[in-house]
Coordinates of all heavy atoms in Angstrom, one line a residue:
V1 N 14.8 11.6 -6.3 CA 13.6 11.0 -6.9 C 14.0 9.5 -7.3 O 15.1 9.3 -7.9 CB 13.2 11.8 -8.2 CG1 12.1 11.1 -9.0 CG2 12.9 13.1 -7.8
F2 N 13.1 8.7 -7.0 CA 13.3 7.2 -7.2 C 12.2 6.7 -8.1 O 11.1 7.0 -7.8 CB 13.4 6.4 -6.0 CG 14.5 6.8 -5.1 CD1 14.4 7.8 -4.1 CD2 15.8 6.2 -5.3 CE1 15.4 8.2 -3.3 CE2 16.9 6.7 -4.5 CZ 16.6 7.7 -3.5
D3 N 12.5 6.0 -9.2 CA 11.4 5.6 -10.1 C 11.4 4.0 -10.2 O 12.4 3.4 -10.6 CB 11.7 6.1 -11.5 CG 10.6 5.9 -12.5 OD1 9.5 5.5 -12.0 OD2 10.9 6.0 -13.7
G4 N 10.3 3.5 -9.7 CA 10.1 2.0 -9.8 C 10.3 1.4 -8.4 O 11.0 1.8 -7.6
R5 N 9.7 0.2 -8.4 CA 9.7 -0.7 -7.2 C 11.2 -1.0 -6.8 O 11.6 -0.9 -5.6 CB 9.0 -1.9 -7.4 CG 8.9 -2.9 -6.3 CD 8.1 -4.1 -6.7 NE 8.1 -5.0 -5.5 CZ 9.0 -5.9 -5.2 NH1 10.1 -6.1 -6.0 NH2 8.8 -6.7 -4.2
D6 N 11.9 -1.4 -7.7 CA 13.3 -1.9 -7.4 C 14.2 -0.7 -6.8 O 15.0 -0.8 -6.0 CB 14.0 -2.5 -8.6 CG 13.4 -3.8 -9.0 OD1 12.9 -4.5 -8.1 OD2 13.6 -4.3 -10.1
A7 N 14.0 0.5 -7.5 CA 14.7 1.7 -7.0 C 14.3 2.1 -5.5 O 15.2 2.4 -4.7 CB 14.5 2.9 -7.9
I8 N 13.0 1.9 -5.3 CA 12.6 2.2 -3.8 C 13.2 1.2 -2.9 O 13.7 1.6 -1.8 CB 11.1 2.2 -3.7 CG1 10.4 3.3 -4.7 CG2 10.6 2.4 -2.4 CD1 10.6 4.7 -4.2
I9 N 13.1 0.0 -3.3 CA 13.7 -1.1 -2.4 C 15.2 -0.9 -2.2 O 15.6 -1.0 -1.0 CB 13.4 -2.5 -2.9 CG1 11.8 -2.8 -2.8 CG2 14.2 -3.6 -2.2 CD1 11.4 -4.0 -3.5
D10 N 15.9 -0.6 -3.2 CA 17.3 -0.5 -3.1 C 17.6 0.8 -2.2 O 18.6 0.8 -1.5 CB 18.0 -0.3 -4.5 CG 18.0 -1.5 -5.3 OD1 17.8 -2.6 -4.7 OD2 18.2 -1.4 -6.5
M11 N 16.8 1.8 -2.3 CA 17.0 3.0 -1.5 C 16.8 2.7 0.0 O 17.6 3.1 0.9 CB 16.1 4.1 -1.9 CG 16.3 5.5 -1.2 SD 15.2 5.8 0.2 CE 13.5 5.6 -0.5
W12 N 15.8 1.9 0.3 CA 15.5 1.6 1.8 C 16.2 0.4 2.3 O 16.4 0.3 3.5 CB 14.0 1.4 1.9 CG 13.2 2.6 2.1 CD1 12.4 3.2 1.1 CD2 13.1 3.5 3.2 NE1 11.9 4.3 1.6 CE2 12.3 4.5 2.9 CE3 13.7 3.4 4.4 CZ2 12.0 5.5 3.8 CZ3 13.4 4.4 5.3 CH2 12.5 5.5 5.0
K13 N 16.7 -0.5 1.5 CA 17.3 -1.7 2.0 C 18.5 -1.5 3.0 O 18.5 -2.1 4.1 CB 17.9 -2.5 0.8 CG 18.2 -3.9 1.2 CD 18.8 -4.7 0.0 CE 17.8 -4.7 -1.2 NZ 18.2 -5.5 -2.3
P14 N 19.4 -0.6 2.8 CA 20.5 -0.4 3.8 C 20.0 0.0 5.2 O 20.7 -0.3 6.1 CB 21.4 0.6 3.2 CG 21.0 0.7 1.7 CD 19.6 0.3 1.6
V15 N 18.9 0.8 5.3 CA 18.5 1.2 6.6 C 17.5 0.2 7.3 O 17.3 0.3 8.5 CB 17.9 2.6 6.6 CG1 18.9 3.6 6.1 CG2 16.6 2.6 5.8
L16 N 17.0 -0.7 6.5 CA 16.0 -1.7 7.0 C 16.7 -3.0 7.5 O 16.2 -3.6 8.4 CB 15.0 -2.0 6.0 CG 14.0 -0.8 5.7 CD1 13.1 -1.2 4.6 CD2 13.2 -0.4 6.9
A17 N 17.8 -3.4 6.8 CA 18.4 -4.7 7.2 C 19.8 -4.6 6.9 O 20.4 -3.9 6.1 CB 17.7 -5.8 6.3
G18 N 20.5 -5.5 7.6 CA 22.0 -5.6 7.4 C 22.8 -4.8 8.4 O 22.2 -4.2 9.4
P19 N 24.1 -4.7 8.3 CA 24.9 -4.0 9.4 C 24.6 -2.5 9.5 O 25.0 -2.0 10.6 CB 26.4 -4.3 8.8 CG 26.2 -4.5 7.4 CD 24.8 -5.1 7.1
D20 N 24.1 -1.9 8.5 CA 23.9 -0.4 8.7 C 22.4 -0.2 9.0 O 22.0 1.1 9.0 CB 24.3 0.3 7.4 CG 25.8 0.2 7.1 OD1 26.5 0.2 8.1 OD2 26.2 0.1 5.9
A21 N 21.6 -1.1 9.3 CA 20.2 -1.0 9.6 C 20.1 0.0 10.8 O 20.9 0.0 11.7 CB 19.5 -2.3 10.0
W22 N 19.0 0.8 10.7 CA 18.8 1.9 11.8 C 18.3 1.3 13.1 O 18.4 1.9 14.1 CB 17.8 3.0 11.2 CG 18.5 3.9 10.2 CD1 19.8 3.8 9.6 CD2 17.9 5.0 9.6 NE1 19.9 4.8 8.7 CE2 18.8 5.5 8.6 CE3 16.6 5.5 9.7 CZ2 18.5 6.6 7.9 CZ3 16.3 6.6 8.9 CH2 17.3 7.2 8.0
G23 N 17.6 0.2 13.0 CA 17.0 -0.3 14.2 C 15.6 -1.0 13.9 O 15.3 -1.4 12.8
D24 N 14.7 -1.0 14.9 CA 13.4 -1.5 14.8 C 12.4 -0.4 14.2 O 12.5 0.7 14.7 CB 12.9 -1.9 16.2 CG 13.7 -3.1 16.8 OD1 14.1 -4.0 16.0 OD2 13.9 -3.1 17.9
W25 N 11.6 -0.8 13.4 CA 10.6 0.1 12.7 C 9.2 -0.1 13.1 O 8.8 -1.3 13.3 CB 10.7 0.0 11.2 CG 12.0 0.5 10.7 CD1 13.3 -0.2 10.6 CD2 12.3 1.7 10.1 NE1 14.2 0.6 10.1 CE2 13.6 1.8 9.7 CE3 11.5 2.8 9.8 CZ2 14.2 2.8 9.1 CZ3 12.0 4.0 9.1 CH2 13.4 4.0 8.8
R26 N 8.4 0.9 13.2 CA 7.0 0.8 13.4 C 6.4 1.9 12.5 O 6.9 2.9 12.2 CB 6.6 1.1 14.8 CG 7.1 0.2 15.9 CD 6.4 -1.2 15.8 NE 6.9 -2.1 16.8 CZ 7.9 -2.9 16.7 NH1 8.5 -3.0 15.5 NH2 8.3 -3.7 17.6
S27 N 5.1 1.6 12.0 CA 4.4 2.5 11.1 C 3.0 2.8 11.7 O 2.4 1.8 12.2 CB 4.3 1.9 9.7 OG 5.6 1.8 9.2
V28 N 2.5 4.0 11.5 CA 1.1 4.3 11.9 C 0.4 4.9 10.6 O 0.9 5.8 10.0 CB 1.2 5.4 13.0 CG1 -0.2 5.8 13.3 CG2 1.9 4.9 14.2
A29 N -0.7 4.2 10.3 CA -1.5 4.6 9.2 C -2.3 5.9 9.5 O -2.8 6.0 10.5 CB -2.4 3.5 8.7
V30 N -2.3 6.8 8.5 CA -3.1 8.0 8.6 C -3.7 8.3 7.2 O -3.4 7.6 6.2 CB -2.3 9.2 9.0 CG1 -1.9 9.0 10.6 CG2 -1.1 9.5 8.2
W31 N -4.4 9.3 7.0 CA -4.9 9.8 5.7 C -4.4 11.2 5.5 O -4.4 12.0 6.4 CB -6.4 9.7 5.6 CG -6.9 8.3 5.5 CD1 -7.3 7.5 6.7 CD2 -7.1 7.6 4.4 NE1 -7.6 6.3 6.2 CE2 -7.6 6.3 4.8 CE3 -7.1 7.8 3.1 CZ2 -7.9 5.3 3.9 CZ3 -7.4 6.8 2.2 CH2 -7.8 5.6 2.6
A32 N -4.1 11.6 4.3 CA -3.7 12.9 3.9 C -4.3 13.3 2.6 O -4.1 12.5 1.6 CB -2.2 13.0 3.8
N33 N -5.1 14.3 2.5 CA -5.7 14.8 1.3 C -6.5 13.6 0.6 O -6.4 13.4 -0.6 CB -4.7 15.3 0.3 CG -4.0 16.5 0.8 OD1 -4.6 17.3 1.5 ND2 -2.8 16.7 0.5
R34 N -7.2 12.9 1.5 CA -8.1 11.7 1.0 C -7.3 10.6 0.4 O -7.7 9.8 -0.4 CB -9.2 12.2 0.0 CG -10.1 13.1 0.7 CD -11.2 13.4 -0.3 NE -12.3 14.2 0.4 CZ -13.4 14.4 -0.1 NH1 -13.8 14.0 -1.3 NH2 -14.4 15.1 0.5
Q35 N -6.0 10.5 0.8 CA -5.1 9.5 0.3 C -4.5 8.8 1.5 O -4.2 9.4 2.5 CB -4.0 10.1 -0.6 CG -4.5 10.8 -1.8 CD -3.3 11.4 -2.5 OE1 -2.9 10.9 -3.6 NE2 -2.9 12.6 -2.1
P36 N -4.2 7.5 1.3 CA -3.6 6.7 2.4 C -2.2 7.4 2.7 O -1.5 7.7 1.8 CB -3.5 5.3 2.0 CG -3.7 5.3 0.5 CD -4.4 6.6 0.2
A37 N -1.8 7.3 4.0 CA -0.4 7.8 4.3 C 0.1 7.0 5.5 O -0.7 6.2 6.1 CB -0.5 9.3 4.6
V38 N 1.3 7.1 5.8 CA 1.9 6.3 6.9 C 3.0 7.2 7.5 O 3.8 7.8 6.8 CB 2.5 5.0 6.4 CG1 3.5 5.1 5.4 CG2 2.9 4.1 7.5
C39 N 3.1 7.2 8.8 CA 4.2 7.8 9.5 C 5.1 6.7 10.0 O 4.6 5.7 10.6 CB 3.7 8.6 10.6 SG 5.1 9.5 11.5
N40 N 6.4 6.7 9.6 CA 7.3 5.7 9.9 C 8.1 6.2 11.1 O 8.6 7.3 11.2 CB 8.2 5.4 8.8 CG 7.5 4.8 7.6 OD1 6.8 3.8 7.8 ND2 7.4 5.5 6.5
Y41 N 8.3 5.2 12.1 CA 9.1 5.5 13.3 C 10.2 4.5 13.4 O 10.1 3.4 12.9 CB 8.2 5.4 14.6 CG 7.2 6.4 14.7 CD1 5.9 6.3 14.0 CD2 7.3 7.5 15.6 CE1 4.9 7.2 14.2 CE2 6.3 8.4 15.8 CZ 5.1 8.3 15.1 OH 4.1 9.2 15.2
V42 N 11.3 4.8 14.0 CA 12.4 3.9 14.2 C 12.9 4.1 15.6 O 12.9 5.2 16.2 CB 13.6 4.1 13.2 CG1 14.3 5.5 13.5 CG2 14.6 3.0 13.2
R43 N 13.3 2.9 16.2 CA 14.0 2.9 17.5 C 15.4 2.3 17.2 O 15.6 1.2 16.9 CB 13.2 1.9 18.5 CG 13.9 1.9 19.8 CD 13.2 1.0 20.8 NE 13.2 -0.4 20.3 CZ 12.4 -1.4 20.7 NH1 11.4 -1.0 21.5 NH2 12.5 -2.5 20.2
R44 N 16.3 3.2 17.3 CA 17.7 2.9 17.1 C 18.3 2.1 18.3 O 17.7 2.2 19.4 CB 18.5 4.2 16.8 CG 18.1 4.8 15.5 CD 18.9 6.0 15.3 NE 18.3 6.9 14.2 CZ 18.8 6.9 12.9 NH1 19.9 6.2 12.6 NH2 18.3 7.6 12.0
D45 N 19.3 1.4 18.1 CA 20.0 0.6 19.1 C 20.3 1.6 20.3 O 20.9 2.7 20.1 CB 21.3 0.0 18.6 CG 21.0 -1.1 17.7 OD1 19.9 -1.7 17.7 OD2 21.9 -1.6 16.9
G46 N 20.0 1.2 21.5 CA 20.2 2.0 22.7 C 19.1 2.9 23.0 O 19.0 3.4 24.2
D47 N 18.1 3.2 22.1 CA 17.0 4.1 22.4 C 15.9 3.3 23.0 O 15.7 2.1 22.8 CB 16.4 4.7 21.1 CG 17.3 5.8 20.5 OD1 18.4 6.2 21.2 OD2 17.1 6.2 19.4
V48 N 15.1 4.0 23.9 CA 14.0 3.2 24.5 C 12.7 3.5 23.8 O 11.7 2.8 24.1 CB 13.9 3.6 26.1 CG1 15.1 3.2 26.9 CG2 13.6 5.2 26.2
S49 N 12.6 4.5 23.0 CA 11.4 4.8 22.2 C 11.7 5.0 20.7 O 12.8 5.1 20.3 CB 10.7 6.1 22.8 OG 11.5 7.2 22.6
F50 N 10.5 4.9 20.0 CA 10.6 5.1 18.6 C 10.5 6.6 18.2 O 9.6 7.3 18.7 CB 9.4 4.3 17.9 CG 9.6 2.9 18.0 CD1 9.4 2.2 19.1 CD2 10.2 2.1 16.8 CE1 9.4 0.8 19.1 CE2 10.3 0.8 16.9 CZ 10.0 0.1 18.0
S51 N 11.3 7.1 17.3 CA 11.2 8.5 16.9 C 10.7 8.5 15.4 O 11.0 7.7 14.6 CB 12.7 9.1 16.9 OG 13.2 9.1 18.2
P52 N 10.0 9.6 15.1 CA 9.5 9.7 13.7 C 10.5 9.9 12.7 O 11.5 10.7 13.0 CB 8.5 10.9 13.7 CG 8.9 11.7 14.9 CD 9.5 10.7 15.9
V53 N 10.5 9.3 11.5 CA 11.5 9.4 10.5 C 10.8 10.2 9.3 O 11.6 11.1 8.7 CB 11.9 8.0 10.0 CG1 12.8 8.1 8.8 CG2 12.6 7.2 11.1
N54 N 9.6 9.9 8.9 CA 9.0 10.5 7.8 C 7.5 10.2 7.8 O 7.0 9.4 8.5 CB 9.7 10.2 6.5 CG 9.5 8.7 6.2 OD1 8.7 8.0 6.8 ND2 10.2 8.2 5.1
I55 N 6.8 11.1 7.0 CA 5.4 10.8 6.7 C 5.3 10.6 5.1 O 5.8 11.4 4.4 CB 4.5 12.0 7.1 CG1 4.6 12.2 8.6 CG2 3.1 11.7 6.7 CD1 3.9 13.4 9.1
D56 N 4.8 9.4 4.7 CA 4.7 9.1 3.3 C 3.2 9.1 2.9 O 2.4 8.5 3.5 CB 5.3 7.7 3.1 CG 6.8 7.6 3.1 OD1 7.4 8.5 2.8 OD2 7.2 6.5 3.5
V57 N 2.9 9.9 1.9 CA 1.6 10.0 1.3 C 1.6 9.2 0.1 O 2.5 9.3 -0.8 CB 1.1 11.5 1.0 CG1 -0.3 11.5 0.4 CG2 1.2 12.3 2.3
L58 N 0.7 8.2 0.0 CA 0.7 7.3 -1.1 C -0.4 7.6 -2.1 O -1.6 7.9 -1.8 CB 0.4 5.8 -0.6 CG 1.3 5.4 0.7 CD1 0.8 4.1 1.2 CD2 2.7 5.5 0.3
V59 N -0.2 7.5 -3.4 CA -1.1 7.6 -4.5 C -1.3 6.1 -4.9 O -0.3 5.5 -5.4 CB -0.6 8.4 -5.6 CG1 -1.6 8.4 -6.8 CG2 -0.5 9.9 -5.1
V60 N -2.5 5.6 -4.8 CA -2.8 4.3 -5.2 C -3.3 4.2 -6.6 O -4.2 5.0 -7.0 CB -3.8 3.6 -4.2 CG1 -4.2 2.1 -4.7 CG2 -3.3 3.6 -2.9
A61 N -2.7 3.4 -7.5 CA -3.2 3.3 -8.9 C -3.6 1.8 -9.1 O -2.7 0.9 -9.1 CB -2.1 3.6 -9.8
G62 N -4.8 1.5 -9.2 CA -5.3 0.2 -9.2 C -5.0 -0.6 -7.9 O -5.4 -0.1 -6.9
D63 N -4.3 -1.6 -8.0 CA -3.9 -2.4 -6.8 C -2.5 -2.2 -6.4 O -1.9 -2.9 -5.6 CB -4.2 -3.9 -7.0 CG -3.4 -4.5 -8.0 OD1 -2.8 -3.8 -8.8 OD2 -3.4 -5.7 -8.1
R64 N -1.9 -1.0 -6.8 CA -0.4 -0.8 -6.5 C -0.2 0.7 -6.1 O -1.1 1.5 -6.3 CB 0.4 -1.1 -7.8 CG 0.3 -2.4 -8.2 CD 1.2 -2.7 -9.5 NE 1.1 -4.0 -9.9 CZ 2.1 -4.9 -9.7 NH1 3.2 -4.6 -9.1 NH2 1.9 -6.2 -10.2
I65 N 0.9 0.9 -5.5 CA 1.2 2.2 -5.1 C 1.9 2.8 -6.3 O 2.9 2.3 -6.8 CB 2.2 2.2 -3.9 CG1 1.5 1.7 -2.7 CG2 2.8 3.6 -3.7 CD1 2.4 1.4 -1.5
G66 N 1.3 3.9 -6.8 CA 1.8 4.6 -8.0 C 2.8 5.7 -7.7 O 3.6 6.0 -8.6
E67 N 2.7 6.2 -6.5 CA 3.5 7.4 -6.2 C 3.6 7.5 -4.7 O 2.7 7.2 -4.0 CB 3.0 8.6 -6.8 CG 3.8 9.9 -6.6 CD 3.2 11.1 -7.3 OE1 2.5 10.9 -8.4 OE2 3.3 12.2 -6.7
I68 N 4.8 7.9 -4.2 CA 5.0 8.2 -2.8 C 5.6 9.6 -2.6 O 6.6 9.9 -3.3 CB 6.0 7.2 -2.1 CG1 5.5 5.7 -2.3 CG2 6.2 7.5 -0.6 CD1 6.5 4.7 -1.9
T69 N 4.9 10.5 -1.8 CA 5.5 11.8 -1.5 C 5.8 11.8 -0.1 O 5.0 11.5 0.8 CB 4.5 12.9 -1.8 OG1 4.1 12.8 -3.2 CG2 5.0 14.2 -1.6
T70 N 7.1 12.1 0.2 CA 7.6 12.0 1.5 C 7.8 13.4 2.2 O 8.3 14.3 1.5 CB 9.0 11.2 1.5 OG1 8.8 9.9 1.0 CG2 9.6 11.1 2.9
F71 N 7.4 13.5 3.4 CA 7.6 14.7 4.2 C 8.3 14.5 5.5 O 8.2 13.4 6.1 CB 6.2 15.3 4.6 CG 5.3 15.7 3.4 CD1 4.5 14.8 2.8 CD2 5.4 16.9 2.9 CE1 3.7 15.0 1.7 CE2 4.6 17.3 1.8 CZ 3.8 16.3 1.2
P72 N 9.1 15.4 5.9 CA 9.8 15.3 7.2 C 8.8 15.3 8.3 O 7.8 16.0 8.2 CB 10.8 16.5 7.2 CG 10.2 17.5 6.3 CD 9.4 16.7 5.2
P73 N 9.1 14.6 9.4 CA 8.1 14.6 10.5 C 8.2 15.8 11.4 O 8.5 15.7 12.6 CB 8.6 13.3 11.2 CG 10.0 13.4 11.1 CD 10.2 13.8 9.6
R74 N 8.0 17.0 10.8 CA 8.0 18.2 11.6 C 6.9 18.2 12.7 O 5.8 17.7 12.5 CB 7.9 19.4 10.8 CG 9.1 19.5 9.8 CD 9.2 20.8 9.2 NE 10.5 20.9 8.5 CZ 10.5 21.0 7.1 NH1 9.4 20.9 6.4 NH2 11.8 21.0 6.5
P75 N 7.1 18.8 13.9 CA 6.2 18.7 14.9 C 4.8 19.2 14.5 O 3.8 18.6 14.9 CB 6.8 19.7 16.0 CG 8.2 19.5 15.8 CD 8.4 19.4 14.3
H76 N 4.7 20.2 13.7 CA 3.4 20.8 13.3 C 2.6 19.7 12.4 O 1.4 19.7 12.5 CB 3.4 22.2 12.7 CG 4.0 22.2 11.3 ND1 5.3 22.2 11.1 CD2 3.4 22.2 10.1 CE1 5.6 22.1 9.8 NE2 4.5 22.2 9.1
L77 N 3.4 19.0 11.6 CA 2.8 18.0 10.8 C 2.3 16.8 11.6 O 1.2 16.2 11.4 CB 3.7 17.4 9.6 CG 4.0 18.4 8.6 CD1 5.0 17.8 7.6 CD2 2.8 18.8 7.8
L78 N 3.1 16.4 12.5 CA 2.7 15.3 13.4 C 1.4 15.7 14.2 O 0.4 14.9 14.2 CB 3.8 14.9 14.5 CG 5.0 14.3 13.9 CD1 6.1 14.3 14.9 CD2 4.8 13.0 13.2
A79 N 1.4 16.9 14.7 CA 0.2 17.4 15.4 C -1.0 17.4 14.5 O -2.1 17.1 14.9 CB 0.5 18.7 16.0
A80 N -0.9 17.9 13.3 CA -2.0 18.0 12.3 C -2.6 16.6 12.0 O -3.8 16.5 11.8 CB -1.5 18.6 11.1
F81 N -1.8 15.6 12.1 CA -2.3 14.2 11.8 C -2.7 13.5 13.1 O -3.1 12.4 13.0 CB -1.2 13.4 11.0 CG -1.1 13.8 9.6 CD1 -0.1 14.5 9.2 CD2 -2.0 13.4 8.7 CE1 0.2 14.8 7.9 CE2 -1.9 13.8 7.4 CZ -0.8 14.4 7.0
G82 N -2.4 14.2 14.2 CA -2.8 13.5 15.5 C -1.8 12.4 15.9 O -2.1 11.5 16.6
L83 N -0.6 12.6 15.3 CA 0.5 11.6 15.5 C 1.3 11.9 16.8 O 1.6 13.1 16.9 CB 1.3 11.5 14.3 CG 0.7 10.9 13.0 CD1 1.5 11.2 11.8 CD2 0.5 9.4 13.2
P84 N 1.8 10.9 17.5 CA 2.7 11.2 18.6 C 4.1 11.6 18.2 O 4.5 11.1 17.0 CB 2.6 9.9 19.4 CG 2.4 8.9 18.4 CD 1.5 9.5 17.4
A85 N 4.8 12.3 19.0 CA 6.1 12.6 18.7 C 7.1 11.5 18.9 O 8.2 11.5 18.5 CB 6.6 13.8 19.5
G86 N 6.6 10.4 19.5 CA 7.3 9.2 19.7 C 6.4 8.1 20.1 O 5.3 8.3 20.6
L87 N 6.9 6.8 20.0 CA 6.1 5.6 20.4 C 6.8 4.9 21.5 O 8.0 4.9 21.5 CB 5.9 4.8 19.1 CG 5.1 5.3 17.9 CD1 5.1 4.2 16.8 CD2 3.7 5.7 18.3

């Protein structure tokens, strides 16, 4: 569990930038339970396609994200959202 913007950024920073970065990222917007959500995909060095990493469901509070609930990109979840298994 991560609390606050800085904690979220610190958690993601190593995989997004720098020597330990996972690769190139793409995101696909979807809706879950009437809330905005996003499926994140990554293409690691040497890969030709993007693979799903997670599905984040966002709770918006005013003009900010108040909460993020993350789900693994299991095949049945990808299918339920109409998301591809790769990009």
Side-chain angles (χ1 to χ4, degrees):
V1 174
F2 299 91
D3 188 14
R5 179 183 182 275
D6 291 338
I8 298 288
I9 290 171
D10 288 344
M11 184 263 305
W12 276 105
K13 195 182 300 183
V15 300
L16 294 174
D20 296 325
W22 288 3
D24 297 320
W25 290 80
R26 298 288 180 268
S27 298
V28 177
V30 294
W31 289 89
N33 299 326
R34 295 185 174 191
Q35 298 176 101
V38 62
C39 184
N40 297 296
Y41 293 80
V42 68
R43 181 179 63 200
R44 296 179 189 257
D45 289 340
D47 288 351
V48 296
S49 63
F50 289 81
S51 299
V53 174
N54 63 10
I55 299 171
D56 290 328
V57 179
L58 312 175
V59 174
V60 178
D63 63 348
R64 297 180 182 255
I65 297 171
E67 184 177 325
I68 303 170
T69 303
T70 301
F71 297 91
R74 296 198 172 109
H76 71 280
L77 289 178
L78 294 170
F81 287 106
L83 292 163
L87 301 176

